[in-house]
Amino acid sequence: LKGQGYQVLAFGDPGGTAASQTRGEDCFQILSSLGLTAYPTHTNSQSIRHATVSRLCTTFTRGRDPVLLIDKECRTLIKGLAERYVFRTMQTSSGLVKLDTVLKNHFSHVCEALQYVLLGAREDFGVRIGPDTQVGSGPIGGRPVGGL
């Protein structure tokens, strides 16, 4: 994509800003050294990440087209969003209790990657949602960058 006039960016968990004990660099510095521009989001809050994805999955343009399109080839993401991104449960004497932690698997990793990308794009680049709505106005891009 870089050769086609697009800038490729990545967003991730702000916990990735902690320096590695072995290399002395954080995750974002390592990605930068490999030529990928990556930024931490302002939070790693599950509720904020979930709300961001939920809002974009349920927002439509004035023409009633979804603002977030997921290619049908993204099978792991689709399956994760539909049924496999789940919270852990624990059996207690009162029955099954849902915990606040996500069951980690390849579905959760892909779904959480989407959460960070959408959160980062919204907060840092002022991604437009629909023709009249702009969300975010952070310092990185300096201007809105189209829509999702």
Side-chain angles (χ1 to χ4, degrees), residues 9-102:
L9 301 172
F11 297 93
D13 186 330
T17 59
S20 161
Q21 292 181 350
T22 56
R23 290 182 63 164
E25 298 174 289
D26 68 39
C27 295
F28 298 97
Q29 292 168 327
I30 293 168
L31 290 170
S32 179
S33 73
L34 298 170
L36 181 62
T37 305
Y39 301 99
T41 58
H42 79 282
T43 183
N44 63 356
S45 163
Q46 273 186 355
S47 61
I48 292 174
R49 290 184 286 126
H50 292 177
T52 299
V53 173
S54 179
R55 174 153 185 227
L56 289 171
C57 285
T58 57
T59 301
F60 296 86
T61 66
R62 286 190 181 167
R64 302 303 298 152
D65 294 322
V67 296
L68 178 63
L69 299 174
I70 299 173
D71 190 282
K72 65 183 178 185
E73 295 300 314
C74 298
R75 292 183 183 101
T76 302
L77 178 59
I78 292 167
K79 193 164 193 136
L81 290 172
E83 62 188 53
R84 297 292 178 93
Y85 181 79
V86 296
F87 287 88
R88 291 182 176 276
T89 58
M90 180 175 68
Q91 185 66 46
T92 67
S93 58
S94 337
L96 203 56
V97 175
K98 184 172 121 177
L99 304 175
D100 289 337
T101 57
V102 172

Coordinates of all heavy atoms in Angstrom, one line a residue, residues 9-102:
L9 N -0.5 2.6 8.9 CA -0.4 2.9 10.3 C -0.9 1.7 11.2 O -1.7 1.0 10.7 CB -1.2 4.1 10.7 CG -0.9 5.4 10.0 CD1 -1.9 6.5 10.3 CD2 0.5 5.9 10.3
A10 N -0.4 1.7 12.4 CA -0.8 0.6 13.3 C -1.1 1.3 14.6 O -0.5 2.3 15.0 CB 0.2 -0.4 13.5
F11 N -2.0 0.8 15.4 CA -2.4 1.2 16.7 C -2.4 0.1 17.6 O -2.7 -1.0 17.3 CB -3.8 1.9 16.7 CG -3.8 3.1 15.8 CD1 -4.3 3.0 14.5 CD2 -3.5 4.4 16.3 CE1 -4.3 4.1 13.7 CE2 -3.5 5.5 15.5 CZ -3.9 5.4 14.2
G12 N -2.0 0.3 18.9 CA -2.0 -0.8 19.8 C -2.2 -0.4 21.3 O -2.4 0.8 21.6
D13 N -2.1 -1.4 22.1 CA -2.3 -1.3 23.5 C -1.2 -0.3 24.1 O -0.1 -0.5 23.8 CB -2.1 -2.7 24.2 CG -2.4 -2.7 25.6 OD1 -2.2 -1.7 26.3 OD2 -2.8 -3.8 26.1
P14 N -1.6 0.7 24.9 CA -0.6 1.6 25.4 C 0.4 0.9 26.3 O 1.4 1.4 26.6 CB -1.5 2.6 26.2 CG -2.8 2.0 26.3 CD -3.0 1.0 25.2
G15 N 0.0 -0.3 26.8 CA 1.0 -1.1 27.6 C 2.2 -1.5 26.8 O 3.3 -1.8 27.3
G16 N 2.1 -1.4 25.4 CA 3.3 -1.6 24.6 C 4.3 -0.6 24.6 O 5.4 -0.7 24.0
T17 N 4.1 0.5 25.4 CA 5.1 1.5 25.5 C 6.2 1.2 26.6 O 7.1 2.0 26.7 CB 4.5 2.9 25.8 OG1 3.8 2.8 27.0 CG2 3.5 3.4 24.7
A18 N 6.0 0.1 27.3 CA 6.9 -0.3 28.3 C 8.1 -0.9 27.6 O 8.0 -1.7 26.7 CB 6.3 -1.3 29.3
A19 N 9.3 -0.5 27.9 CA 10.5 -1.0 27.3 C 10.7 -2.5 27.6 O 10.5 -3.0 28.7 CB 11.7 -0.2 27.8
S20 N 11.2 -3.2 26.6 CA 11.5 -4.6 26.8 C 12.7 -4.8 27.7 O 13.7 -4.0 27.6 CB 11.8 -5.2 25.4 OG 12.5 -6.5 25.5
Q21 N 12.7 -5.8 28.5 CA 13.8 -6.1 29.4 C 15.0 -6.6 28.6 O 16.2 -6.4 29.0 CB 13.5 -7.0 30.5 CG 12.5 -6.4 31.5 CD 12.1 -7.4 32.6 OE1 12.5 -8.6 32.5 NE2 11.4 -6.9 33.6
T22 N 14.8 -7.2 27.4 CA 15.9 -7.8 26.7 C 16.5 -6.8 25.7 O 17.7 -6.7 25.5 CB 15.5 -9.1 26.0 OG1 14.3 -8.8 25.1 CG2 15.1 -10.1 27.0
R23 N 15.6 -6.0 25.0 CA 16.1 -5.1 23.9 C 16.2 -3.7 24.4 O 16.8 -2.9 23.7 CB 15.2 -5.2 22.7 CG 15.3 -6.5 22.0 CD 14.5 -6.6 20.8 NE 14.9 -5.6 19.8 CZ 14.5 -5.6 18.5 NH1 13.7 -6.5 18.1 NH2 14.9 -4.7 17.7
G24 N 15.5 -3.3 25.4 CA 15.5 -1.9 25.9 C 14.6 -1.0 25.0 O 14.7 0.2 25.2
E25 N 13.9 -1.6 24.1 CA 13.0 -0.8 23.3 C 11.5 -1.2 23.6 O 11.3 -2.3 24.0 CB 13.2 -1.0 21.8 CG 14.6 -0.7 21.3 CD 14.8 -1.1 19.8 OE1 14.9 -2.3 19.6 OE2 14.8 -0.2 18.9
D26 N 10.6 -0.3 23.3 CA 9.2 -0.7 23.5 C 8.7 -1.3 22.1 O 9.4 -1.2 21.1 CB 8.3 0.4 24.0 CG 8.1 1.6 23.1 OD1 8.0 1.4 21.9 OD2 8.1 2.7 23.6
C27 N 7.5 -1.8 22.2 CA 6.9 -2.4 20.9 C 6.8 -1.4 19.8 O 7.0 -1.8 18.6 CB 5.5 -3.0 21.3 SG 5.5 -4.4 22.4
F28 N 6.4 -0.2 20.1 CA 6.2 0.8 19.1 C 7.6 1.2 18.4 O 7.6 1.5 17.2 CB 5.5 2.0 19.7 CG 4.1 1.6 20.1 CD1 3.9 1.3 21.5 CD2 3.0 1.5 19.2 CE1 2.6 0.9 21.9 CE2 1.8 1.1 19.6 CZ 1.6 0.8 21.0
Q29 N 8.6 1.2 19.2 CA 9.9 1.5 18.7 C 10.4 0.4 17.8 O 11.0 0.6 16.8 CB 10.9 1.8 19.8 CG 10.7 3.0 20.6 CD 11.5 3.1 21.9 OE1 11.7 2.1 22.5 NE2 11.8 4.3 22.3
I30 N 10.1 -0.8 18.2 CA 10.5 -2.0 17.4 C 9.8 -2.0 16.0 O 10.4 -2.2 15.0 CB 10.3 -3.3 18.1 CG1 11.2 -3.4 19.3 CG2 10.4 -4.5 17.2 CD1 10.9 -4.5 20.3
L31 N 8.5 -1.7 16.1 CA 7.7 -1.6 14.8 C 8.3 -0.5 13.9 O 8.4 -0.6 12.7 CB 6.2 -1.4 15.1 CG 5.5 -2.6 15.7 CD1 4.1 -2.3 16.1 CD2 5.5 -3.8 14.7
S32 N 8.6 0.6 14.5 CA 9.2 1.8 13.8 C 10.5 1.4 13.1 O 10.7 1.8 12.0 CB 9.3 3.0 14.7 OG 9.9 4.1 14.0
S33 N 11.3 0.6 13.8 CA 12.6 0.2 13.3 C 12.4 -0.7 12.1 O 13.3 -0.8 11.2 CB 13.5 -0.4 14.3 OG 13.0 -1.7 14.6
L34 N 11.2 -1.3 12.0 CA 10.9 -2.2 10.8 C 10.1 -1.4 9.7 O 9.7 -2.0 8.8 CB 10.1 -3.4 11.3 CG 10.8 -4.3 12.3 CD1 9.8 -5.3 12.9 CD2 12.0 -5.0 11.6
G35 N 10.0 -0.1 9.9 CA 9.3 0.7 8.9 C 7.8 0.9 9.1 O 7.2 1.4 8.2
L36 N 7.3 0.4 10.2 CA 5.8 0.5 10.4 C 5.5 1.6 11.4 O 6.0 1.5 12.6 CB 5.2 -0.8 10.8 CG 3.7 -0.8 11.1 CD1 3.0 -0.5 9.8 CD2 3.3 -2.2 11.6
T37 N 4.8 2.6 11.1 CA 4.4 3.7 12.0 C 3.3 3.1 12.9 O 2.2 2.8 12.4 CB 4.0 4.9 11.2 OG1 5.0 5.3 10.3 CG2 3.7 6.1 12.2
A38 N 3.5 3.1 14.2 CA 2.5 2.6 15.1 C 2.4 3.5 16.3 O 3.4 4.1 16.7 CB 3.0 1.2 15.6
Y39 N 1.2 3.7 16.8 CA 0.9 4.6 17.9 C 0.1 3.8 19.0 O -0.8 3.0 18.7 CB 0.1 5.8 17.4 CG 0.8 6.6 16.4 CD1 0.4 6.4 15.0 CD2 1.7 7.5 16.7 CE1 1.0 7.1 14.0 CE2 2.3 8.3 15.7 CZ 2.0 8.1 14.4 OH 2.6 8.8 13.4
P40 N 0.4 4.2 20.3 CA -0.5 3.6 21.3 C -1.8 4.4 21.3 O -1.8 5.6 21.1 CB 0.3 3.9 22.6 CG 1.2 5.0 22.3 CD 1.5 5.0 20.8
T41 N -2.9 3.7 21.7 CA -4.1 4.4 21.9 C -4.1 5.0 23.3 O -3.2 4.7 24.1 CB -5.3 3.4 21.8 OG1 -5.2 2.4 22.8 CG2 -5.5 2.8 20.4
H42 N -5.0 5.9 23.6 CA -5.0 6.6 24.9 C -5.4 5.7 26.0 O -5.2 6.0 27.2 CB -5.9 7.8 24.8 CG -7.4 7.6 25.0 ND1 -8.1 7.1 23.9 CD2 -8.2 7.7 26.0 CE1 -9.4 7.0 24.3 NE2 -9.4 7.3 25.6
T43 N -6.1 4.5 25.7 CA -6.5 3.6 26.8 C -6.5 2.2 26.3 O -6.5 2.0 25.1 CB -7.9 4.0 27.2 OG1 -8.3 3.2 28.3 CG2 -9.0 3.9 26.1
N44 N -6.5 1.3 27.2 CA -6.7 -0.1 26.9 C -8.0 -0.6 27.5 O -8.2 -1.8 27.6 CB -5.5 -1.0 27.2 CG -5.3 -1.0 28.7 OD1 -5.9 -0.3 29.5 ND2 -4.3 -1.8 29.1
S45 N -8.9 0.3 27.9 CA -10.1 -0.1 28.6 C -11.0 -0.9 27.7 O -11.3 -0.5 26.5 CB -10.9 1.2 28.9 OG -12.3 0.9 29.2
Q46 N -11.4 -2.1 28.2 CA -12.2 -3.0 27.4 C -13.6 -2.3 27.0 O -14.0 -2.4 25.9 CB -12.5 -4.3 28.2 CG -11.6 -5.4 28.0 CD -12.0 -6.6 28.7 OE1 -13.0 -6.7 29.3 NE2 -11.2 -7.7 28.5
S47 N -14.2 -1.6 28.0 CA -15.5 -1.1 27.7 C -15.4 0.0 26.6 O -16.3 0.1 25.8 CB -16.1 -0.5 29.0 OG -15.3 0.5 29.5
I48 N -14.3 0.8 26.6 CA -14.2 1.8 25.6 C -13.9 1.2 24.2 O -14.5 1.6 23.2 CB -13.1 2.8 25.9 CG1 -13.5 3.7 27.1 CG2 -12.7 3.7 24.8 CD1 -12.5 4.6 27.7
R49 N -13.0 0.2 24.2 CA -12.8 -0.5 22.9 C -14.0 -1.2 22.4 O -14.3 -1.1 21.2 CB -11.6 -1.6 23.1 CG -10.3 -0.9 23.3 CD -9.2 -1.9 23.4 NE -9.2 -2.6 24.7 CZ -9.2 -3.9 24.8 NH1 -9.2 -4.7 23.8 NH2 -9.2 -4.5 26.0
H50 N -14.8 -1.9 23.3 CA -16.0 -2.5 22.8 C -17.0 -1.5 22.3 O -17.7 -1.8 21.3 CB -16.6 -3.3 24.0 CG -15.8 -4.5 24.3 ND1 -16.1 -5.3 25.4 CD2 -14.6 -5.0 23.8 CE1 -15.2 -6.3 25.5 NE2 -14.3 -6.1 24.6
A51 N -17.2 -0.4 23.0 CA -18.1 0.6 22.6 C -17.7 1.2 21.2 O -18.6 1.5 20.4 CB -18.2 1.7 23.6
T52 N -16.4 1.4 21.0 CA -16.0 1.9 19.7 C -16.4 1.0 18.5 O -16.9 1.4 17.5 CB -14.4 2.1 19.7 OG1 -14.1 3.0 20.7 CG2 -13.9 2.6 18.4
V53 N -16.1 -0.3 18.7 CA -16.4 -1.3 17.7 C -18.0 -1.4 17.5 O -18.5 -1.4 16.4 CB -15.9 -2.7 18.0 CG1 -16.4 -3.7 17.0 CG2 -14.3 -2.6 17.9
S54 N -18.7 -1.4 18.6 CA -20.1 -1.5 18.6 C -20.7 -0.3 17.8 O -21.6 -0.5 17.0 CB -20.7 -1.6 20.0 OG -22.1 -1.6 20.0
R55 N -20.2 0.9 18.1 CA -20.7 2.1 17.5 C -20.5 2.0 16.0 O -21.4 2.3 15.2 CB -20.1 3.3 18.1 CG -20.6 4.6 17.3 CD -20.5 5.8 18.1 NE -21.1 6.9 17.3 CZ -20.5 8.1 17.2 NH1 -19.4 8.3 17.9 NH2 -21.1 9.0 16.5
L56 N -19.3 1.6 15.6 CA -19.0 1.6 14.2 C -19.7 0.5 13.4 O -20.0 0.6 12.3 CB -17.5 1.5 13.9 CG -16.8 2.8 14.3 CD1 -15.3 2.6 14.2 CD2 -17.2 3.9 13.3
C57 N -20.0 -0.6 14.2 CA -20.8 -1.7 13.5 C -22.3 -1.4 13.4 O -23.0 -2.1 12.7 CB -20.6 -3.0 14.4 SG -19.0 -3.8 14.2
T58 N -22.7 -0.4 14.1 CA -24.2 -0.1 14.1 C -24.4 1.3 13.5 O -25.5 1.9 13.7 CB -24.8 -0.2 15.5 OG1 -24.1 0.7 16.4 CG2 -24.7 -1.6 16.0
T59 N -23.4 2.0 12.9 CA -23.6 3.3 12.3 C -23.7 3.2 10.8 O -22.9 2.4 10.2 CB -22.4 4.2 12.7 OG1 -22.3 4.3 14.2 CG2 -22.6 5.6 12.2
F60 N -24.6 3.9 10.2 CA -24.8 3.9 8.8 C -24.7 5.3 8.2 O -25.0 6.3 8.9 CB -26.2 3.3 8.5 CG -26.3 1.9 8.9 CD1 -26.7 1.6 10.2 CD2 -26.0 0.8 8.1 CE1 -26.8 0.2 10.7 CE2 -26.1 -0.5 8.5 CZ -26.5 -0.8 9.8
T61 N -24.4 5.4 7.0 CA -24.3 6.7 6.3 C -25.8 7.1 6.0 O -26.7 6.3 6.2 CB -23.6 6.6 4.9 OG1 -24.3 5.7 4.1 CG2 -22.2 6.0 5.1
R62 N -25.9 8.3 5.5 CA -27.3 8.8 5.1 C -27.9 7.9 4.1 O -29.1 7.8 4.0 CB -27.3 10.2 4.7 CG -27.1 11.1 5.8 CD -27.3 12.5 5.4 NE -27.1 13.4 6.5 CZ -27.0 14.7 6.4 NH1 -27.0 15.3 5.2 NH2 -26.8 15.5 7.5
G63 N -27.0 7.3 3.2 CA -27.5 6.4 2.2 C -27.8 5.0 2.7 O -28.1 4.1 2.0
R64 N -27.7 4.8 4.1 CA -28.0 3.6 4.8 C -26.9 2.5 4.5 O -27.2 1.3 4.7 CB -29.4 3.1 4.5 CG -30.5 4.0 4.9 CD -30.5 4.5 6.3 NE -30.8 3.4 7.2 CZ -30.3 3.4 8.5 NH1 -29.7 4.4 9.0 NH2 -30.6 2.4 9.3
D65 N -25.8 2.9 4.1 CA -24.7 1.9 4.0 C -23.9 1.9 5.3 O -23.7 2.9 5.9 CB -23.7 2.4 2.8 CG -24.3 2.3 1.5 OD1 -25.1 1.4 1.2 OD2 -24.0 3.2 0.7
P66 N -23.4 0.7 5.7 CA -22.6 0.6 6.9 C -21.3 1.4 6.8 O -20.7 1.4 5.7 CB -22.4 -0.9 7.1 CG -22.6 -1.5 5.8 CD -23.6 -0.6 5.0
V67 N -20.9 2.0 7.9 CA -19.6 2.8 7.8 C -18.4 1.8 8.0 O -17.3 2.2 7.6 CB -19.5 3.9 8.8 CG1 -20.6 5.0 8.6 CG2 -19.6 3.4 10.2
L68 N -18.7 0.7 8.5 CA -17.6 -0.3 8.7 C -17.9 -1.5 7.8 O -18.9 -2.2 8.0 CB -17.5 -0.7 10.2 CG -16.4 -1.8 10.4 CD1 -15.0 -1.3 10.1 CD2 -16.5 -2.2 11.9
L69 N -17.1 -1.8 6.9 CA -17.2 -2.9 6.0 C -16.1 -3.9 6.3 O -14.9 -3.5 6.4 CB -17.2 -2.5 4.5 CG -18.2 -1.5 4.0 CD1 -18.0 -1.1 2.6 CD2 -19.6 -2.2 4.2
I70 N -16.4 -5.2 6.4 CA -15.4 -6.2 6.7 C -15.5 -7.2 5.5 O -16.5 -7.7 5.2 CB -15.7 -6.9 8.0 CG1 -15.7 -5.9 9.2 CG2 -14.7 -8.1 8.3 CD1 -16.1 -6.5 10.5
D71 N -14.4 -7.4 4.9 CA -14.3 -8.2 3.7 C -14.6 -9.7 4.1 O -14.2 -10.1 5.2 CB -12.9 -8.2 3.2 CG -12.8 -8.9 1.8 OD1 -12.7 -10.2 1.8 OD2 -12.8 -8.2 0.8
K72 N -15.4 -10.4 3.3 CA -15.8 -11.7 3.6 C -14.6 -12.7 3.8 O -14.8 -13.8 4.4 CB -16.8 -12.3 2.5 CG -16.1 -12.4 1.2 CD -17.1 -12.9 0.1 CE -16.5 -12.9 -1.2 NZ -17.4 -13.3 -2.3
E73 N -13.5 -12.3 3.3 CA -12.3 -13.2 3.5 C -11.7 -13.1 4.9 O -10.8 -13.9 5.2 CB -11.2 -12.8 2.4 CG -11.6 -13.1 1.0 CD -11.9 -14.6 0.8 OE1 -11.1 -15.4 1.2 OE2 -12.9 -14.8 0.1
C74 N -12.2 -12.1 5.7 CA -11.7 -12.0 7.1 C -12.5 -12.9 7.9 O -13.2 -12.5 8.9 CB -11.9 -10.5 7.5 SG -10.9 -9.3 6.6
R75 N -12.4 -14.2 7.7 CA -13.2 -15.2 8.3 C -13.0 -15.3 9.8 O -13.9 -15.5 10.6 CB -12.9 -16.6 7.7 CG -13.4 -16.7 6.3 CD -13.2 -18.1 5.7 NE -13.6 -18.1 4.3 CZ -12.8 -18.0 3.3 NH1 -11.5 -17.9 3.5 NH2 -13.2 -18.0 2.0
T76 N -11.7 -15.2 10.3 CA -11.5 -15.3 11.7 C -12.1 -14.1 12.4 O -12.7 -14.2 13.5 CB -9.9 -15.3 12.0 OG1 -9.4 -16.4 11.3 CG2 -9.6 -15.4 13.5
L77 N -12.0 -12.9 11.9 CA -12.6 -11.7 12.5 C -14.1 -11.8 12.5 O -14.7 -11.6 13.5 CB -12.2 -10.4 11.7 CG -12.8 -9.1 12.2 CD1 -12.4 -8.9 13.6 CD2 -12.3 -8.0 11.3
I78 N -14.7 -12.2 11.4 CA -16.2 -12.4 11.3 C -16.7 -13.4 12.3 O -17.6 -13.2 13.1 CB -16.6 -12.7 9.9 CG1 -16.3 -11.6 9.0 CG2 -18.1 -13.1 9.9 CD1 -16.5 -11.9 7.5
K79 N -16.0 -14.6 12.4 CA -16.4 -15.6 13.4 C -16.2 -15.1 14.8 O -17.0 -15.4 15.7 CB -15.6 -16.9 13.1 CG -16.2 -18.1 13.8 CD -15.7 -19.4 13.2 CE -16.5 -20.5 13.8 NZ -16.9 -21.4 12.8
G80 N -15.1 -14.4 15.0 CA -14.8 -13.9 16.4 C -15.9 -12.9 16.8 O -16.4 -13.0 17.9
L81 N -16.2 -12.0 15.9 CA -17.2 -11.0 16.2 C -18.6 -11.6 16.4 O -19.4 -11.2 17.2 CB -17.3 -9.9 15.1 CG -16.1 -8.9 15.1 CD1 -16.2 -8.1 13.8 CD2 -16.0 -8.1 16.3
A82 N -18.9 -12.6 15.7 CA -20.2 -13.3 15.7 C -20.4 -14.2 16.9 O -21.4 -14.2 17.5 CB -20.4 -14.1 14.4
E83 N -19.3 -14.9 17.3 CA -19.5 -15.9 18.4 C -18.3 -16.3 19.2 O -18.5 -16.9 20.2 CB -20.2 -17.2 17.7 CG -19.2 -17.8 16.7 CD -19.9 -19.0 16.0 OE1 -21.0 -18.8 15.4 OE2 -19.3 -20.1 16.0
R84 N -17.1 -16.1 18.7 CA -16.0 -16.7 19.4 C -15.2 -15.7 20.3 O -14.3 -16.1 21.0 CB -15.0 -17.3 18.4 CG -15.6 -18.4 17.6 CD -15.8 -19.6 18.5 NE -16.4 -20.8 17.9 CZ -15.7 -21.8 17.3 NH1 -14.4 -21.8 17.3 NH2 -16.4 -22.8 16.7
Y85 N -15.5 -14.4 20.2 CA -14.9 -13.5 21.1 C -15.8 -13.5 22.4 O -16.9 -12.8 22.4 CB -14.8 -12.1 20.5 CG -14.1 -11.0 21.4 CD1 -12.8 -11.0 21.5 CD2 -14.9 -10.1 22.1 CE1 -12.2 -10.1 22.3 CE2 -14.3 -9.2 22.9 CZ -12.9 -9.1 23.0 OH -12.3 -8.2 23.8
V86 N -15.4 -14.2 23.4 CA -16.2 -14.4 24.6 C -15.5 -14.1 25.9 O -14.3 -14.2 25.9 CB -16.8 -15.8 24.6 CG1 -17.7 -16.1 23.4 CG2 -15.7 -16.9 24.6
F87 N -16.3 -13.8 26.9 CA -15.7 -13.6 28.2 C -15.6 -15.0 28.9 O -16.4 -15.9 28.7 CB -16.6 -12.7 29.0 CG -16.4 -11.3 28.6 CD1 -17.2 -10.7 27.5 CD2 -15.4 -10.4 29.1 CE1 -17.0 -9.4 27.1 CE2 -15.3 -9.1 28.7 CZ -16.1 -8.6 27.7
R88 N -14.6 -15.1 29.7 CA -14.4 -16.3 30.5 C -15.6 -16.5 31.5 O -16.2 -15.5 31.9 CB -13.2 -16.3 31.4 CG -11.9 -16.3 30.6 CD -10.7 -16.3 31.5 NE -9.5 -16.5 30.8 CZ -9.0 -17.6 30.4 NH1 -9.6 -18.7 30.7 NH2 -7.8 -17.7 29.7
T89 N -15.9 -17.7 31.8 CA -17.0 -18.0 32.8 C -16.4 -18.9 33.9 O -15.3 -19.5 33.7 CB -18.2 -18.7 32.1 OG1 -17.7 -19.9 31.5 CG2 -18.8 -17.8 31.1
M90 N -17.1 -18.9 35.0 CA -16.6 -19.7 36.1 C -17.9 -20.3 36.8 O -18.9 -19.7 37.0 CB -15.8 -18.9 37.1 CG -15.3 -19.6 38.3 SD -14.3 -18.6 39.4 CE -15.5 -17.5 40.1
Q91 N -17.8 -21.6 37.0 CA -18.9 -22.3 37.7 C -18.8 -22.1 39.2 O -17.7 -22.3 39.8 CB -18.8 -23.8 37.4 CG -20.0 -24.6 37.9 CD -21.3 -24.2 37.3 OE1 -21.3 -24.1 36.1 NE2 -22.3 -24.0 38.1
T92 N -19.8 -21.6 39.8 CA -19.9 -21.4 41.2 C -21.1 -22.1 41.8 O -21.9 -22.7 41.0 CB -20.1 -19.9 41.6 OG1 -21.4 -19.4 41.1 CG2 -19.0 -19.0 40.9
S93 N -21.2 -22.1 43.1 CA -22.4 -22.8 43.7 C -23.7 -22.2 43.2 O -24.7 -22.8 43.2 CB -22.2 -22.9 45.2 OG -22.2 -21.5 45.7
S94 N -23.7 -20.9 42.8 CA -24.9 -20.2 42.4 C -25.1 -20.4 40.9 O -26.1 -19.9 40.4 CB -24.9 -18.8 42.7 OG -24.0 -18.4 43.7
G95 N -24.2 -21.0 40.2 CA -24.4 -21.2 38.7 C -23.2 -20.7 38.0 O -22.1 -20.4 38.6
L96 N -23.3 -20.5 36.7 CA -22.3 -20.0 35.8 C -22.2 -18.5 36.0 O -23.2 -17.8 35.8 CB -22.6 -20.4 34.4 CG -21.4 -20.5 33.4 CD1 -20.3 -21.4 33.9 CD2 -21.9 -20.9 32.1
V97 N -21.0 -18.0 36.2 CA -20.7 -16.5 36.4 C -19.8 -16.1 35.3 O -18.8 -16.7 35.0 CB -20.1 -16.2 37.8 CG1 -19.8 -14.7 37.9 CG2 -21.0 -16.7 38.9
K98 N -20.2 -15.0 34.6 CA -19.4 -14.4 33.6 C -18.3 -13.5 34.2 O -18.7 -12.6 35.0 CB -20.3 -13.6 32.6 CG -19.5 -13.0 31.4 CD -20.4 -12.4 30.4 CE -20.1 -10.9 30.2 NZ -21.0 -10.3 29.2
L99 N -17.1 -13.7 33.9 CA -16.0 -12.9 34.4 C -15.7 -11.7 33.5 O -16.2 -11.6 32.4 CB -14.7 -13.8 34.5 CG -14.9 -15.0 35.4 CD1 -13.6 -15.9 35.3 CD2 -15.3 -14.7 36.8
D100 N -14.9 -10.8 34.0 CA -14.5 -9.6 33.2 C -13.4 -9.8 32.3 O -12.9 -8.8 31.6 CB -14.2 -8.4 34.1 CG -15.4 -7.9 34.9 OD1 -16.6 -8.1 34.4 OD2 -15.3 -7.3 36.0
T101 N -12.8 -11.0 32.1 CA -11.7 -11.2 31.3 C -12.1 -12.0 30.0 O -13.0 -12.9 30.1 CB -10.6 -12.0 32.0 OG1 -11.1 -13.2 32.5 CG2 -10.0 -11.2 33.2
V102 N -11.5 -11.7 28.9 CA -11.8 -12.3 27.7 C -11.0 -13.6 27.6 O -9.9 -13.7 28.0 CB -11.4 -11.4 26.5 CG1 -11.5 -12.1 25.1 CG2 -12.3 -10.1 26.5

